[in-house]
Amino acid sequence: MNIDLHCHSTVSDGTLAPAEVVALAAQRGVEILALTDHDDTAGLDAARCAAVSAGIDFIAGVEISAGWRGQSVHIVGVHIDPADAQLARELASIRVGRLRRAERIAAALEAVGIRDALAGAQRFAQHASLIGRAHFARYLAEQGYAADSHAVFQRYLVPGKLGYVAHEWAQVGDAVRWIRAAGGVPILAHPGRYPFGTAVMHELLQCFKQAGGAALEVLTSAHDAGDVRRFAALAREYGLLASHGSDFHDPNHEPFGPGSIGALPPECAPVWHDWPVAQRLAEHAASAH
Ligand code: AMP
Ligand code: MN
Ligand code: MN
Ligand code: MN
């Protein structure tokens, strides 16, 4: 079964419009797709409409930016109700915080001689209400400060570099509770990307589980085979289900399109195991054989 529970569109820092993400996913054989833009649900209606025409099952999602020990940690929520008032209010507040952070990033870049970065980044933020480091990266790459946006990140935008500014994100436990209160399923995104030692990772997993976290993203484009094994084992240890999602952003810069990251290890209990849509597709596939 081809299911992808983590994808971005132009509503956050992806480069395809929500309907284009759905069309690409359908073309690649995805049967169940969640759109999970950073801190914004504005793409979900367009994506749902496109999914109806493409004949794939659509799940409303979001990826909330949270903080843990001074690092950013992302909580994906799927099956959320985007109309939930508390969730909508908290996401709006995170977006305001992103704008304040963007002003500070622009000031830090200005101090090293890079001018007009806020206006430049905003030009790449197609959905004006959300701005992030990826938009700065695209502007700086365009201006020739590095070969491509990934190189811009490494040179300017990661912790320790001149264009990086610390930021107070949401608390992990709060993000989990907002997703739960909006009817959603909280998933700790790409754990292999966090620069934590074993003890801090265990504390994060405990906090996530205690707050109502449901699943760990075991399979995602940032994970190598070792990460997949490690987080499959940690999911079992903490009684968490396993999720997978491509974390797709840009068809021109990523080998992993929607739906092309393979299957979870067999020992994992998938987060969709009891979703009616997944059972229906599995029965359909079984009867076709
Ligand atoms: P932000 O939430 O604005 O701090 O930006 C985080 C986003 O930037 C991630 O979701 C990725 O899309 C992107 N990103 C983070 N690190 C890198 C990197 N090293 N190279 C390229 N993109 C990155
Ligand atoms: Mn992103
Ligand atoms: Mn993320
Ligand atoms: Mn993501």
Side-chain angles (χ1 to χ4, degrees):
M1 194 162 52
N2 198 330
I3 176 163
D4 193 330
L5 298 179
H6 189 164
C7 281
H8 296 271
S9 76
T10 46
V11 161
S12 63
D13 53 5
T15 58
L16 298 182
E20 294 171 328
V21 175
V22 171
L24 180 61
Q27 190 191 316
R28 298 215 177 142
V30 173
E31 296 163 282
I32 304 177
L33 179 75
L35 181 69
T36 57
D37 275 304
H38 298 287
D39 309 316
D40 205 330
T41 60
L44 297 178
D45 285 346
R48 185 179 294 286
C49 288
V52 170
S53 355
I56 67 177
D57 276 287
F58 182 72
I59 294 171
V62 68
E63 182 176 18
I64 301 183
S65 305
W68 184 259
R69 303 294 167 86
Q71 304 286 338
S72 72
V73 158
H74 290 170
I75 314 294
V76 162
V78 293
H79 286 303
I80 53 156
D81 172 10
D84 180 82
Q86 174 182 242
L87 180 65
R89 193 171 60 239
E90 299 296 350
L91 295 179
S93 149
I94 295 174
R95 295 195 297 273
V96 171
R98 280 183 167 277
L99 183 56
R100 298 284 97 81
R101 180 187 66 150
E103 290 162 356
R104 291 185 293 124
I105 292 174
L109 292 171
E110 179 99 33
V112 296
I114 301 175
R115 308 196 52 189
D116 300 325
L118 184 56
Q122 269 162 340
R123 186 154 52 72
F124 283 87
Q126 298 180 51
H127 189 80
S129 87
L130 185 131
I131 187 158
R133 283 183 293 162
H135 306 117
F136 281 92
R138 287 177 198 143
Y139 172 66
L140 265 62
E142 179 202 64
Q143 296 297 304
Y145 287 102
D148 57 22
S149 43
H150 184 73
V152 172
F153 262 93
Q154 297 312 319
R155 190 176 291 176
Y156 293 101
L157 299 176
V158 297
K161 302 297 177 174
L162 292 167
Y164 180 83
V165 303
H167 184 67
E168 195 76 31
W169 296 107
Q171 304 278 319
V172 167
D174 288 339
V176 169
R177 285 183 285 269
W178 300 331
I179 290 166
R180 281 280 184 204
V185 178
I187 302 166
L188 182 63
H190 44 60
R193 273 180 50 179
Y194 309 136
F196 300 139
T198 310
V200 174
M201 182 59 79
H202 277 280
E203 285 162 19
L204 171 60
L205 289 169
Q206 263 155 27
C207 164
F208 175 72
K209 172 78 184 180
Q210 239 165 35
L216 202 51
E217 196 174 63
V218 169
L219 195 59
T220 184
S221 53
H223 283 181
D224 62 21
D227 293 324
V228 172
R229 276 193 301 276
R230 175 174 174 225
F231 291 107
L234 282 170
R236 285 171 73 96
E237 182 181 338
Y238 281 86
L240 293 165
L241 299 167
S243 186
H244 75 176
S246 58
D247 202 5
F248 169 75
H249 286 76
D250 180 353
N252 295 317
H253 291 101
E254 284 165 30
F256 299 96
S260 61
I261 47 163
L264 284 173
E267 73 269 25
C268 286
V271 65
W272 57 84
H273 74 104
D274 61 350
W275 297 355
V277 60
Q279 280 169 356
R280 186 162 51 71
L281 287 177
E283 280 158 22
H284 189 259
S287 68
H289 285 303

